[in-house]
Amino acid sequence: MQPKTPTGAEKLVQCLEREGVEYIFGLSGGAAMPIFDALVDSKIELVLVRHEQGATHMADGYARATGRPGVVLVTSGPGATNTVTGLLTALMDSAPIIVICGQTISPMLGKDAFQEADVTGITYPVVKHSYLVKEAAAIPRIVRESFHLATSGRPGPVLIDVPKDVSQGPCDAPFTEELDLPGYGVVGRADPRGIEAAAGLLARSRRPLLYVGHGAVISDAGKAVTTLAEKLRAPVVNTLLGKGAVDETHPLHLGMMGMHGTAYANKAVVDCDLIMSIGARWDDRVTGRVTEFCPTATKIHVDIDPAENGKIIVPDLFIEGDARLVIEDLIPLVEMLDTHEWLEQCNRWRRRYPLKYPRKGGLRAQHVLDRLHALTRGEAVLTTDVGQHQMWAAQFCLSRSNRHWISSGGAGTMGFGFPAAIGAQFARPDDEVWAIVGDGGFQMTQAELATAQIHRLPVKCLIINNNFLGMVRQWQELFYENRTSGVDLVGNPDFVKLAQAFGVQAWRIRRAGDVDRVLKQAHEYREGPCVVVAEVVKEDNVFPMIPAGAAVHEMLIEAPRHRLDKPEGST
Amino acid sequence: MSAQPEPAPVELPPLHTLSLFVNNKPGVLVRVSLAFARRGFNIESLVVSEGKDERFSRITITCRGDRATLDQMVRQLAKLVDVVHAIDHTGEEAIEIEIALIKLEGGVEQRTQIFQIVEHYKAKVVDFGHDSLVLQVQGSSEKIDAFVELLRPFGILELVRSGKLLMARGRQTT
Ligand SMILES: Cc1ncc(C[n+]2csc(CCOP(=O)(O)OP(=O)(O)O)c2C)c(N)n1
């Protein structure tokens, strides 16, 4: 008897197995049924989510925790459109995820069939690339190309839209390693002339600064950057997403720069005579008013994506290449710089403007996060949601190694933190994983408590509950004369009871005196997911702060006494 | 033709010509045009056709915009997985050509004048009706602009232009 020809769906699943996929995060529906059916016989584990957005952030968290692509499977129409936010989040932060969508049968395309949506059309602006599969024979090539595209060069999301007749019909195409991507190339090592030029510029600098971004995390450049910094004796700062590439407790590290960065990091940005971006893209959250960003400093930009060249800042030197390879090639060409005076200055700033928060007046988020850091010491994987808690976590929870900090930066997607932690925990079952979320953002994807509970994942969720959309309330207080509008989360559930309703272990922190005890309980709890609800003071503000559109030197180190103008920056 | 007062010249951003060598696949044109739409750039003309190899297409685009934004856009276009290369030919001595069809009212009494213009521009009459004429002209876009302006007073009913075709000279890549 001839072996039975596999269906398109079976072939698709076999291709995913060949790519080493362990988990698929998904939610089923009519158009995707052949693919869900094929998963029954596969060794790939299906993680059933409660909302497709959650699936995309789980895949994203999985990807950022490992560097391996996370895979999502959803049905057509509303199932597919629910992934759009996750695609944007992954695109903005260069995370490799693959979203596979069921689609109506090919003959019905464009005819408003039940649950038909023009998914490739809707998602063009939020993918690195996408495919509408028109014939089953193309499946092996498309899957191979998708994984290559998602993970190589500047990583990003890829979408594959699979009509049901294609997944249901036969597919006898062989597996393939071949790529048909004539328009896609990836640089690795950079042109040595660029590297020599960089060494030349560095040699003339007396106040150099290494500015480290997510690209350094993705290319695992941290060790090389640390060696470079030590050899040059140059201080280091990182972006929100660059956390962990270089150990933030290293004596040369000044912490996070940018809108809510440390005062000493930002002062170093203002005063440096050379700034070298390593896998960072001069985001407006970092540069403040661009025209006043380091106007006299020499700028070197290392990026794998040539489209970043001159996008925001026109650098003196652009080096196209993989961050790790570029820095490794650069190290032998540089010598120790005379930065004694400069490092002294940076350390004076560090002593003069430490991060601080009031110890009185109720439970503070900063205190909780400070203690979480004391407990986990940079060894746990931390994910965050978006808002004040995210910035405080970035400030107080210093990252010590690569892929231990996962946060939505470019898109600033509320609802990201908790599902991302679930994905990270699947990827790294033996590591301690904490989601740090606000009460607002948590409620956007809280249904995934069920997903965590069913799989008895030991993921921990710390809810910083200020009963406000805190970050927006802060802006209203500072820039809109405290006219609060749409930020009061009155009606919040009791999060402890909510967790319990899902069968999830939960504790509450009300007083500063409870913090260490409860965090330790959660830290030691391994039987399944748990939730810690910190009932913090309602109105507190994140400082330092560079108001959007202001120059870095206009940073507010603490609460201003005068009224502020409305920010002119993007958001 | 009466002498009308010249309207105050509007400062238009400079015109650029880009050529793209792309995969001949569905959706490519959308991906390319989204790069323009996202920045609120209007595409002035667009020509798409198969190249010498049916797997690839040629796209020639003219658009207006400042230099820096355009450089950025060329890099963004080149980054698209389906774009094999994107080249900005602005200011280059490339071969450029465009074709236009112009439908004129062209009443009998005006035809002598019209034919003089047609002859001067090496244009052709491709349709001859009793109350209309269709002219065909080819050449540089500037030549066609001038031709159209001369014909305007005779009453243009319809105008269709092919958009600019461009090819780099010698062995240079388009
Ligand atoms: C999906 C989405 N909607 C709206 C916003 C705008 N936004 C940014 S921060 C924020 C407040 C977040 O509140 P919460 O989750 O309670 O965290 P907190 O700032 O209080 O720590 C809002 C509404 C966003 N970033 N994402």
Short mmCIF file of all heavy atoms in Angstrom, two decimals, chain A residues 5-12 29-35 75-76 101-111 113-114 116 132-139 161-172:
data_model
loop_
_atom_site.label_atom_id
_atom_site.label_comp_id
_atom_site.label_asym_id
_atom_site.label_seq_id
_atom_site.Cartn_x
_atom_site.Cartn_y
_atom_site.Cartn_z
N THR A 5 -0.89 10.32 1.07
CA THR A 5 -0.37 11.68 0.87
C THR A 5 -0.85 12.55 2.02
O THR A 5 -2.04 12.55 2.34
CB THR A 5 -0.93 12.27 -0.45
OG1 THR A 5 -0.67 11.34 -1.49
CG2 THR A 5 -0.28 13.59 -0.77
N PRO A 6 0.07 13.30 2.64
CA PRO A 6 -0.38 14.15 3.75
C PRO A 6 -1.25 15.29 3.24
O PRO A 6 -1.17 15.68 2.07
CB PRO A 6 0.92 14.67 4.35
CG PRO A 6 1.95 14.52 3.29
CD PRO A 6 1.51 13.40 2.40
N THR A 7 -2.07 15.83 4.10
CA THR A 7 -2.81 17.05 3.76
C THR A 7 -1.87 18.24 3.92
O THR A 7 -0.80 18.13 4.53
CB THR A 7 -4.00 17.26 4.71
OG1 THR A 7 -3.48 17.48 6.03
CG2 THR A 7 -4.94 16.08 4.72
N GLY A 8 -2.31 19.36 3.38
CA GLY A 8 -1.52 20.59 3.55
C GLY A 8 -1.28 20.88 5.01
O GLY A 8 -0.18 21.28 5.41
N ALA A 9 -2.31 20.66 5.82
CA ALA A 9 -2.18 20.93 7.26
C ALA A 9 -1.15 20.01 7.90
O ALA A 9 -0.32 20.46 8.70
CB ALA A 9 -3.53 20.74 7.94
N GLU A 10 -1.21 18.72 7.53
CA GLU A 10 -0.23 17.77 8.09
C GLU A 10 1.19 18.16 7.68
O GLU A 10 2.12 18.12 8.48
CB GLU A 10 -0.56 16.34 7.65
CG GLU A 10 -1.78 15.78 8.38
CD GLU A 10 -2.42 14.57 7.70
OE1 GLU A 10 -2.01 14.21 6.57
OE2 GLU A 10 -3.35 14.01 8.28
N LYS A 11 1.31 18.54 6.42
CA LYS A 11 2.64 18.94 5.93
C LYS A 11 3.12 20.18 6.70
O LYS A 11 4.28 20.28 7.09
CB LYS A 11 2.55 19.27 4.43
CG LYS A 11 3.89 19.33 3.76
CD LYS A 11 4.38 17.92 3.47
CE LYS A 11 5.87 17.90 3.19
NZ LYS A 11 6.29 16.55 2.77
N LEU A 12 2.21 21.10 6.90
CA LEU A 12 2.55 22.34 7.63
C LEU A 12 3.07 22.00 9.02
O LEU A 12 4.12 22.50 9.45
CB LEU A 12 1.30 23.22 7.72
CG LEU A 12 1.39 24.49 8.56
CD1 LEU A 12 2.31 25.50 7.90
CD2 LEU A 12 0.01 25.12 8.75
N GLY A 29 -10.87 27.53 15.39
CA GLY A 29 -12.05 28.06 14.69
C GLY A 29 -12.15 27.39 13.35
O GLY A 29 -11.20 26.72 12.91
N GLY A 30 -13.28 27.54 12.69
CA GLY A 30 -13.60 26.81 11.48
C GLY A 30 -12.47 26.71 10.47
O GLY A 30 -12.06 25.61 10.09
N ALA A 31 -11.94 27.86 10.07
CA ALA A 31 -10.98 27.86 8.96
C ALA A 31 -9.65 27.24 9.34
O ALA A 31 -8.85 26.89 8.47
CB ALA A 31 -10.76 29.30 8.47
N ALA A 32 -9.40 27.10 10.64
CA ALA A 32 -8.11 26.54 11.07
C ALA A 32 -8.26 25.09 11.50
O ALA A 32 -7.28 24.47 11.94
CB ALA A 32 -7.53 27.38 12.21
N MET A 33 -9.44 24.53 11.39
CA MET A 33 -9.67 23.19 11.94
C MET A 33 -8.75 22.10 11.37
O MET A 33 -8.27 21.26 12.13
CB MET A 33 -11.14 22.81 11.86
CG MET A 33 -11.92 23.56 12.94
SD MET A 33 -13.66 23.26 12.97
CE MET A 33 -13.72 21.58 13.49
N PRO A 34 -8.47 22.11 10.06
CA PRO A 34 -7.56 21.07 9.57
C PRO A 34 -6.19 21.14 10.26
O PRO A 34 -5.58 20.11 10.53
CB PRO A 34 -7.42 21.39 8.07
CG PRO A 34 -8.67 22.16 7.73
CD PRO A 34 -9.02 22.94 8.97
N ILE A 35 -5.74 22.33 10.57
CA ILE A 35 -4.41 22.46 11.19
C ILE A 35 -4.48 22.01 12.65
O ILE A 35 -3.59 21.31 13.14
CB ILE A 35 -3.88 23.90 11.07
CG1 ILE A 35 -4.01 24.40 9.62
CG2 ILE A 35 -2.42 23.96 11.52
CD1 ILE A 35 -3.65 25.86 9.42
N THR A 75 -7.69 31.23 13.96
CA THR A 75 -8.61 31.05 12.85
C THR A 75 -8.74 32.35 12.05
O THR A 75 -8.08 33.35 12.34
CB THR A 75 -9.97 30.54 13.36
OG1 THR A 75 -10.75 30.11 12.23
CG2 THR A 75 -10.74 31.61 14.11
N SER A 76 -9.59 32.32 11.04
CA SER A 76 -9.71 33.45 10.12
C SER A 76 -10.45 34.61 10.78
O SER A 76 -10.88 34.52 11.93
CB SER A 76 -10.48 32.99 8.89
OG SER A 76 -11.80 32.63 9.28
N CYS A 101 -2.58 31.77 10.25
CA CYS A 101 -4.03 32.02 10.33
C CYS A 101 -4.75 31.09 9.38
O CYS A 101 -4.33 30.91 8.23
CB CYS A 101 -4.35 33.45 9.88
SG CYS A 101 -3.45 34.72 10.76
N GLY A 102 -5.86 30.54 9.82
CA GLY A 102 -6.77 29.89 8.90
C GLY A 102 -7.41 30.97 8.04
O GLY A 102 -7.49 32.13 8.44
N GLN A 103 -7.86 30.57 6.85
CA GLN A 103 -8.52 31.53 5.96
C GLN A 103 -9.65 30.78 5.26
O GLN A 103 -9.62 29.55 5.17
CB GLN A 103 -7.48 32.09 4.98
CG GLN A 103 -7.99 33.05 3.92
CD GLN A 103 -8.64 34.30 4.48
OE1 GLN A 103 -9.80 34.25 4.93
NE2 GLN A 103 -7.94 35.42 4.48
N THR A 104 -10.61 31.53 4.77
CA THR A 104 -11.70 30.89 4.05
C THR A 104 -11.15 30.14 2.82
O THR A 104 -10.01 30.35 2.43
CB THR A 104 -12.75 31.95 3.63
OG1 THR A 104 -13.88 31.27 3.11
CG2 THR A 104 -12.19 32.87 2.55
N ILE A 105 -11.94 29.27 2.21
CA ILE A 105 -11.46 28.52 1.06
C ILE A 105 -11.15 29.47 -0.11
O ILE A 105 -11.84 30.47 -0.29
CB ILE A 105 -12.49 27.44 0.62
CG1 ILE A 105 -13.87 28.08 0.43
CG2 ILE A 105 -12.57 26.31 1.64
CD1 ILE A 105 -14.88 27.15 -0.21
N SER A 106 -10.13 29.12 -0.88
CA SER A 106 -9.66 30.01 -1.95
C SER A 106 -10.77 30.52 -2.88
O SER A 106 -10.78 31.71 -3.20
CB SER A 106 -8.58 29.34 -2.79
OG SER A 106 -7.62 28.75 -1.99
N PRO A 107 -11.71 29.67 -3.32
CA PRO A 107 -12.72 30.20 -4.26
C PRO A 107 -13.60 31.28 -3.64
O PRO A 107 -14.24 32.04 -4.36
CB PRO A 107 -13.57 28.97 -4.61
CG PRO A 107 -12.84 27.78 -4.12
CD PRO A 107 -11.89 28.23 -3.07
N MET A 108 -13.63 31.36 -2.31
CA MET A 108 -14.48 32.35 -1.66
C MET A 108 -13.71 33.63 -1.29
O MET A 108 -14.29 34.58 -0.77
CB MET A 108 -15.12 31.76 -0.39
CG MET A 108 -16.24 30.77 -0.67
SD MET A 108 -17.57 31.49 -1.67
CE MET A 108 -18.40 32.49 -0.43
N LEU A 109 -12.39 33.65 -1.56
CA LEU A 109 -11.60 34.83 -1.20
C LEU A 109 -12.15 36.07 -1.90
O LEU A 109 -12.43 36.04 -3.10
CB LEU A 109 -10.13 34.64 -1.60
CG LEU A 109 -9.29 33.76 -0.68
CD1 LEU A 109 -7.91 33.54 -1.31
CD2 LEU A 109 -9.16 34.38 0.70
N GLY A 110 -12.33 37.13 -1.15
CA GLY A 110 -12.81 38.38 -1.74
C GLY A 110 -14.31 38.43 -1.91
O GLY A 110 -14.84 39.35 -2.53
N LYS A 111 -15.03 37.43 -1.37
CA LYS A 111 -16.49 37.40 -1.56
C LYS A 111 -17.25 37.54 -0.26
O LYS A 111 -18.40 37.11 -0.15
CB LYS A 111 -16.89 36.09 -2.26
CG LYS A 111 -16.27 35.98 -3.66
CD LYS A 111 -16.69 34.72 -4.34
CE LYS A 111 -15.96 34.55 -5.67
NZ LYS A 111 -16.17 33.20 -6.23
N ALA A 113 -16.99 35.95 2.49
CA ALA A 113 -17.38 34.66 3.06
C ALA A 113 -17.46 34.78 4.58
O ALA A 113 -16.92 35.72 5.16
CB ALA A 113 -16.34 33.61 2.68
N PHE A 114 -18.13 33.82 5.21
CA PHE A 114 -18.21 33.84 6.67
C PHE A 114 -16.80 33.87 7.27
O PHE A 114 -15.94 33.08 6.89
CB PHE A 114 -18.98 32.61 7.18
CG PHE A 114 -19.01 32.56 8.69
CD1 PHE A 114 -19.65 33.56 9.41
CD2 PHE A 114 -18.37 31.54 9.38
CE1 PHE A 114 -19.65 33.54 10.80
CE2 PHE A 114 -18.38 31.52 10.76
CZ PHE A 114 -19.02 32.52 11.48
N GLU A 116 -14.41 35.80 6.77
CA GLU A 116 -13.31 36.16 5.89
C GLU A 116 -12.83 37.55 6.28
O GLU A 116 -13.63 38.45 6.50
CB GLU A 116 -13.75 36.19 4.42
CG GLU A 116 -12.56 36.50 3.50
CD GLU A 116 -12.95 36.99 2.11
OE1 GLU A 116 -14.14 37.05 1.80
OE2 GLU A 116 -12.02 37.32 1.36
N LEU A 132 0.24 34.61 1.61
CA LEU A 132 -1.07 34.01 1.43
C LEU A 132 -0.81 32.74 0.63
O LEU A 132 -0.33 32.82 -0.52
CB LEU A 132 -2.00 34.97 0.66
CG LEU A 132 -3.35 34.44 0.21
CD1 LEU A 132 -4.18 33.96 1.40
CD2 LEU A 132 -4.13 35.52 -0.54
N VAL A 133 -1.06 31.59 1.23
CA VAL A 133 -0.67 30.34 0.58
C VAL A 133 -1.72 29.98 -0.46
O VAL A 133 -2.88 29.77 -0.12
CB VAL A 133 -0.55 29.20 1.61
CG1 VAL A 133 0.02 27.95 0.94
CG2 VAL A 133 0.34 29.61 2.77
N LYS A 134 -1.31 29.91 -1.72
CA LYS A 134 -2.29 29.64 -2.76
C LYS A 134 -2.30 28.19 -3.20
O LYS A 134 -3.25 27.72 -3.79
CB LYS A 134 -2.06 30.58 -3.95
CG LYS A 134 -2.48 32.01 -3.57
CD LYS A 134 -2.40 32.94 -4.74
CE LYS A 134 -1.00 32.93 -5.27
NZ LYS A 134 -0.79 33.87 -6.37
N GLU A 135 -1.19 27.49 -2.92
CA GLU A 135 -1.18 26.07 -3.28
C GLU A 135 -0.39 25.32 -2.23
O GLU A 135 0.63 25.80 -1.73
CB GLU A 135 -0.57 25.87 -4.67
CG GLU A 135 0.68 26.71 -4.82
CD GLU A 135 1.36 26.52 -6.16
OE1 GLU A 135 0.64 26.22 -7.12
OE2 GLU A 135 2.58 26.66 -6.19
N ALA A 136 -0.89 24.14 -1.91
CA ALA A 136 -0.29 23.35 -0.84
C ALA A 136 1.18 23.04 -1.12
O ALA A 136 2.00 22.96 -0.20
CB ALA A 136 -1.08 22.06 -0.64
N ALA A 137 1.52 22.92 -2.41
CA ALA A 137 2.90 22.56 -2.76
C ALA A 137 3.90 23.60 -2.26
O ALA A 137 5.08 23.30 -2.09
CB ALA A 137 3.01 22.42 -4.27
N ALA A 138 3.42 24.81 -2.01
CA ALA A 138 4.35 25.87 -1.59
C ALA A 138 4.61 25.83 -0.08
O ALA A 138 5.49 26.56 0.41
CB ALA A 138 3.78 27.23 -1.99
N ILE A 139 3.87 25.00 0.65
CA ILE A 139 3.96 25.05 2.13
C ILE A 139 5.39 24.83 2.66
O ILE A 139 5.87 25.63 3.46
CB ILE A 139 2.94 24.06 2.75
CG1 ILE A 139 1.53 24.64 2.59
CG2 ILE A 139 3.25 23.81 4.23
CD1 ILE A 139 0.41 23.71 3.00
N ASP A 161 -1.03 33.04 5.93
CA ASP A 161 -2.49 32.93 5.84
C ASP A 161 -2.80 31.69 4.99
O ASP A 161 -2.38 31.61 3.83
CB ASP A 161 -3.03 34.21 5.17
CG ASP A 161 -4.47 34.47 5.51
OD1 ASP A 161 -4.97 33.92 6.51
OD2 ASP A 161 -5.11 35.26 4.78
N VAL A 162 -3.51 30.72 5.57
CA VAL A 162 -3.69 29.43 4.90
C VAL A 162 -5.18 29.14 4.63
O VAL A 162 -5.93 28.77 5.53
CB VAL A 162 -3.14 28.28 5.77
CG1 VAL A 162 -3.04 26.99 4.96
CG2 VAL A 162 -1.78 28.63 6.37
N PRO A 163 -5.61 29.29 3.39
CA PRO A 163 -7.00 28.96 3.07
C PRO A 163 -7.30 27.49 3.40
O PRO A 163 -6.43 26.62 3.29
CB PRO A 163 -7.10 29.21 1.57
CG PRO A 163 -6.01 30.20 1.29
CD PRO A 163 -4.90 29.85 2.25
N LYS A 164 -8.55 27.25 3.80
CA LYS A 164 -8.90 25.93 4.31
C LYS A 164 -8.81 24.84 3.25
O LYS A 164 -8.45 23.70 3.55
CB LYS A 164 -10.32 25.98 4.87
CG LYS A 164 -10.69 24.77 5.71
CD LYS A 164 -12.07 24.96 6.31
CE LYS A 164 -12.47 23.77 7.15
NZ LYS A 164 -13.84 23.96 7.67
N ASP A 165 -9.07 25.19 1.98
CA ASP A 165 -8.94 24.16 0.95
C ASP A 165 -7.49 23.75 0.77
O ASP A 165 -7.19 22.61 0.43
CB ASP A 165 -9.55 24.64 -0.38
CG ASP A 165 -8.99 25.98 -0.82
OD1 ASP A 165 -8.74 26.83 0.05
OD2 ASP A 165 -8.80 26.18 -2.04
N VAL A 166 -6.59 24.69 1.03
CA VAL A 166 -5.16 24.38 0.92
C VAL A 166 -4.72 23.48 2.06
O VAL A 166 -3.99 22.51 1.87
CB VAL A 166 -4.32 25.69 0.90
CG1 VAL A 166 -2.83 25.37 0.98
CG2 VAL A 166 -4.64 26.51 -0.34
N SER A 167 -5.21 23.77 3.27
CA SER A 167 -4.78 22.95 4.41
C SER A 167 -5.45 21.57 4.38
O SER A 167 -4.92 20.59 4.87
CB SER A 167 -5.07 23.66 5.74
OG SER A 167 -6.42 24.01 5.85
N GLN A 168 -6.63 21.52 3.78
CA GLN A 168 -7.39 20.28 3.74
C GLN A 168 -6.98 19.37 2.57
O GLN A 168 -7.06 18.16 2.66
CB GLN A 168 -8.87 20.63 3.59
CG GLN A 168 -9.80 19.69 4.28
CD GLN A 168 -11.09 20.42 4.62
OE1 GLN A 168 -11.49 20.47 5.77
NE2 GLN A 168 -11.73 20.99 3.62
N GLY A 169 -6.53 20.02 1.50
CA GLY A 169 -6.18 19.27 0.30
C GLY A 169 -4.84 18.56 0.45
O GLY A 169 -4.14 18.75 1.43
N PRO A 170 -4.49 17.72 -0.54
CA PRO A 170 -3.24 16.96 -0.43
C PRO A 170 -2.02 17.84 -0.69
O PRO A 170 -2.10 18.85 -1.40
CB PRO A 170 -3.40 15.91 -1.53
CG PRO A 170 -4.30 16.56 -2.53
CD PRO A 170 -5.23 17.45 -1.77
N CYS A 171 -0.92 17.44 -0.09
CA CYS A 171 0.34 18.13 -0.34
C CYS A 171 1.44 17.09 -0.43
O CYS A 171 1.81 16.49 0.57
CB CYS A 171 0.64 19.11 0.80
SG CYS A 171 2.28 19.84 0.66
N ASP A 172 1.95 16.86 -1.64
CA ASP A 172 3.02 15.88 -1.76
C ASP A 172 4.37 16.54 -2.02
O ASP A 172 5.34 15.87 -2.37
CB ASP A 172 2.69 14.80 -2.80
CG ASP A 172 2.24 15.42 -4.11
OD1 ASP A 172 2.47 16.64 -4.28
OD2 ASP A 172 1.65 14.69 -4.94
#
